[in-house]
Amino acid sequence: KILSEAELRDSGMTYSIVRPTAFFKSLLGQLEGVRNGAPFMLFGDGKQAKAKPICEADLAAFMADCFWDPAKHNAELPVGGPGRATTFLDRGEALFKLLGREPKYFSIPYWVFGVIQGCLDFFAGRDSDAAELGRIGRYYAEESMLVLDPETGLYNEEMTPSYGKTSFLDYLAKVVVEGGQNELKNQQIGTWQLSKSMSSWFAGEADSADQPAMVDA
């Protein structure tokens, strides 16, 4: 990906590299498990990692803007959705409130990821797909999906651009009311899959299974 972006910059083409912070569907993995009685899974105290996700329709509109907005040409463009950034705990509290249930949580300490990663590196090999998947899952559990402030080295909600009309919490309410099966398909990576598997286990379920060139990062 980094090499592809470098090639694009050096190509002489007008380009826009779009970096969405997170997607709505990636944060809905625990919905069905919690609906069926499972606790909501947190990492640590659930307050460390924040996300400011953007929905598919808003992201599509942003990318379309890249064709005719000169300010978006030859640029790397992080973008999040409207509304405040939310933590795992924020999303859990909102979900239980929408379902009309008392909150019930299960917390996984961060040190567990180090143990799991060590086992994957040792038994599968550090360069294996399994080890890489472990690193991706750990990243999504521990790191915020926001713009990193180069001066402080910290994730910064205010520096993360907002775009669109649909906030994640409004979208969550819509999915809870209307049902979310179609929204939960084709999510097979990182903490989404871990969260889904754990929630299913707690609920006693079986887990199922000159126009700019744009790069969606």
Side-chain angles (χ1 to χ4, degrees), residues 27-42 84 86-105 168-180 184 192 195-196 199:
L27 303 179
L28 291 172
Q30 300 192 62
L31 172 58
E32 290 306 309
V34 171
R35 196 198 297 271
N36 291 325
F40 189 93
M41 187 171 64
L42 302 175
R84 64 183 179 86
T86 58
T87 64
F88 279 97
L89 184 60
D90 291 331
R91 296 189 287 273
E93 289 175 344
L95 180 54
F96 283 115
K97 184 176 180 180
L98 288 167
L99 292 172
R101 298 181 184 174
E102 286 295 318
K104 182 171 60 173
Y105 299 103
F168 175 76
L169 294 181
D170 289 342
Y171 186 79
L172 178 63
K174 176 177 180 289
V175 171
V176 168
V177 171
E178 298 180 2
L184 303 179
W192 186 93
S195 299
K196 182 174 183 292
S199 294

Side-chain angles (χ1 to χ4, degrees), residues 29 187-198 207-209:
Q187 304 295 315
Q188 301 293 330
I189 196 166
T191 55
W192 186 93
Q193 186 65 16
L194 176 59
S195 299
K196 182 174 183 292
S197 299
M198 291 293 290
D207 184 29
S208 59

Side-chain angles (χ1 to χ4, degrees), residues 5 7-17 65-77 210-215:
E5 291 179 0
E7 290 278 346
L8 184 60
R9 293 188 193 94
D10 295 338
S11 67
M13 298 174 62
T14 302
Y15 67 87
S16 299
I17 298 175
D65 285 348
C66 293
F67 283 96
W68 50 75
D69 183 356
K72 292 183 173 65
H73 292 176
N74 301 324
E76 298 178 19
L77 305 166
D210 231 302
Q211 304 250 347
M214 288 185 289
V215 175

Side-chain angles (χ1 to χ4, degrees), residues 16-20 59 62-63 66 75 77-79 214-217:
S16 299
I17 298 175
V18 181
R19 301 191 189 280
L59 178 59
F62 181 86
M63 295 180 73
C66 293
L77 305 166
V79 60
M214 288 185 289
V215 175
D216 178 9

Side-chain angles (χ1 to χ4, degrees), residues 1-158:
K1 174 179 172 295
I2 294 175
L3 292 175
S4 297
E5 291 179 0
E7 290 278 346
L8 184 60
R9 293 188 193 94
D10 295 338
S11 67
M13 298 174 62
T14 302
Y15 67 87
S16 299
I17 298 175
V18 181
R19 301 191 189 280
T21 54
F23 298 103
F24 283 8
K25 289 190 294 186
S26 300
L27 303 179
L28 291 172
Q30 300 192 62
L31 172 58
E32 290 306 309
V34 171
R35 196 198 297 271
N36 291 325
F40 189 93
M41 187 171 64
L42 302 175
F43 303 101
D45 63 5
K47 299 178 181 179
Q48 176 172 316
K50 291 185 176 183
K52 196 173 185 180
I54 185 168
C55 75
E56 293 175 346
D58 286 340
L59 178 59
F62 181 86
M63 295 180 73
D65 285 348
C66 293
F67 283 96
W68 50 75
D69 183 356
K72 292 183 173 65
H73 292 176
N74 301 324
E76 298 178 19
L77 305 166
V79 60
R84 64 183 179 86
T86 58
T87 64
F88 279 97
L89 184 60
D90 291 331
R91 296 189 287 273
E93 289 175 344
L95 180 54
F96 283 115
K97 184 176 180 180
L98 288 167
L99 292 172
R101 298 181 184 174
E102 286 295 318
K104 182 171 60 173
Y105 299 103
F106 177 81
S107 176
I108 297 180
Y110 288 115
W111 61 261
V112 169
F113 288 96
V115 173
I116 293 173
Q117 192 63 53
C119 292
L120 291 172
D121 290 348
F122 181 79
F123 290 106
R126 182 170 178 77
D127 295 330
S128 66
D129 290 342
E132 179 63 16
L133 187 61
R135 286 189 286 271
I136 292 172
R138 182 175 186 175
Y139 180 87
Y140 280 100
E142 297 181 352
E143 303 294 334
S144 292
M145 301 293 103
L146 300 170
V147 169
L148 191 69
D149 185 339
E151 294 187 2
T152 65
L154 301 175
Y155 294 104
N156 190 310
E157 179 177 351
E158 285 69 34

